[in-house]
Amino acid sequence: MNTVKIKAQPREVGKKASRAVRRAGNVPCVLYGHDAETVSFQVSALDLHGLVYTDERYRVEVKLDSQVYDCILKDVEFNPVSEALTHADFQLLRAGEKIELSIPVQIVGKAKGQLEGGDIQVIVHEIDIEALPKDIPEHIAVDISDLEIGDTIHVSDISVPGVEFVTAANQSIVTCFVRKVELEPVVEVVEGELPEGEAPLAEGAPEGEAPPAAGEPAKEQKKEE
């Protein structure tokens, strides 16, 4: 599991103080752990992007003043309108102490069903696990090479050494299905009837000439000399 190092700064707690942190381009954060005192700090929003917008899980070293904390990003919050990061939670990692967290799913290979005209749908993009810090995977690889049309891979179908799945065993991860082809409706025209929306020719009107619109005077017929 790769490690990302970030520098943090102390911060004051409270709504007003948190708003000031965000205006400065930083994200209010907290660090907690079993039998450990909660630590409040702030981190540059740019420094967090690599941890948040990724399909990998990283170990994190947070340096705050003279202290270095071995932890992992546990949860984040976003502004519902701007989608900007508004808060981040980190959890301490301790050797011999299991931790529960979500791990990204990565699909590997091309399904047999895709070669037969099918398509795949990923049902979940993360799986909840429990593991010791040394066994936490960066991602969970799901090989779909043998997946045929109509098949589904469930959590119970995969295994990762040292990892216990918290997500239900019957949870679907990815499925292969047949694409639905939408056909255009066929309009059947009975002899002597006009297709819907087509107006009949006005009496006496030359063939191929459209009838006058409602309220429009009919064209005068040319008199033969």
Side-chain angles (χ1 to χ4, degrees), residues 154-174:
H154 301 86
V155 171
S156 58
D157 297 320
I158 60 175
S159 62
V160 179
V163 168
E164 179 182 346
F165 292 112
V166 176
T167 298
N170 61 353
Q171 171 64 56
S172 301
I173 300 175
V174 59

Side-chain angles (χ1 to χ4, degrees), residues 120-141:
I120 64 165
Q121 180 183 7
V122 180
I123 310 299
V124 294
H125 296 273
E126 290 185 336
I127 296 177
D128 295 334
I129 71 161
E130 185 177 59
L132 293 171
K134 67 181 183 65
D135 295 324
I136 298 175
E138 295 179 352
H139 62 267
I140 295 176

Side-chain angles (χ1 to χ4, degrees), residues 4 18 29 37 43 58 60 66 82-83 94 101 105 109 124 128 130 133 136 142 153 155 159 176 183 199:
V4 173
S18 294
C29 305
E37 184 178 350
V43 175
Y58 296 100
V60 185
S66 60
S82 66
E83 297 185 353
R94 291 178 174 174
L101 71 164
V105 169
V124 294
D128 295 334
E130 185 177 59
I136 298 175
V142 179
I153 295 178
V155 171
S159 62
C176 187
L183 300 176

Side-chain angles (χ1 to χ4, degrees), residues 47-223:
D47 288 344
L48 285 181
H49 279 197
L51 294 174
V52 176
Y53 304 104
T54 178
D55 57 358
E56 299 279 357
R57 177 66 76 171
Y58 296 100
R59 201 165 184 144
V60 185
E61 281 188 9
V62 175
K63 184 176 182 181
L64 179 61
D65 295 330
S66 60
Q67 294 287 327
V68 176
Y69 299 95
D70 183 23
C71 56
I72 198 160
L73 180 63
K74 189 68 181 292
D75 193 20
V76 291
E77 296 178 9
F78 298 90
N79 183 296
V81 178
S82 66
E83 297 185 353
L85 283 169
T86 58
H87 196 273
D89 290 349
F90 290 82
Q91 185 170 347
L92 283 170
L93 295 177
R94 291 178 174 174
E97 186 176 299
K98 288 187 176 182
I99 183 175
E100 185 177 320
L101 71 164
S102 299
I103 301 296
V105 169
Q106 284 193 14
I107 303 301
V108 179
K110 192 178 184 72
K112 289 181 179 179
Q114 289 178 288
L115 303 177
E116 299 171 356
D119 204 352
I120 64 165
Q121 180 183 7
V122 180
I123 310 299
V124 294
H125 296 273
E126 290 185 336
I127 296 177
D128 295 334
I129 71 161
E130 185 177 59
L132 293 171
K134 67 181 183 65
D135 295 324
I136 298 175
E138 295 179 352
H139 62 267
I140 295 176
V142 179
D143 189 351
I144 63 170
S145 302
D146 294 329
L147 199 64
E148 298 184 353
I149 293 176
D151 289 346
T152 299
I153 295 178
H154 301 86
V155 171
S156 58
D157 297 320
I158 60 175
S159 62
V160 179
V163 168
E164 179 182 346
F165 292 112
V166 176
T167 298
N170 61 353
Q171 171 64 56
S172 301
I173 300 175
V174 59
T175 185
C176 187
F177 63 97
V178 179
R179 295 191 189 99
K180 291 184 179 180
V181 180
E182 295 185 3
L183 300 176
E184 293 185 2
V186 178
V187 180
E188 184 177 347
V189 180
V190 180
E191 186 176 355
E193 293 184 1
L194 292 172
E196 185 179 352
E198 185 173 328
L201 290 174
E203 186 176 350
E207 186 176 350
E209 184 175 326
E216 181 182 337
K219 294 181 180 180
E220 294 184 2
Q221 300 292 326
K222 291 184 178 180
K223 295 182 180 179

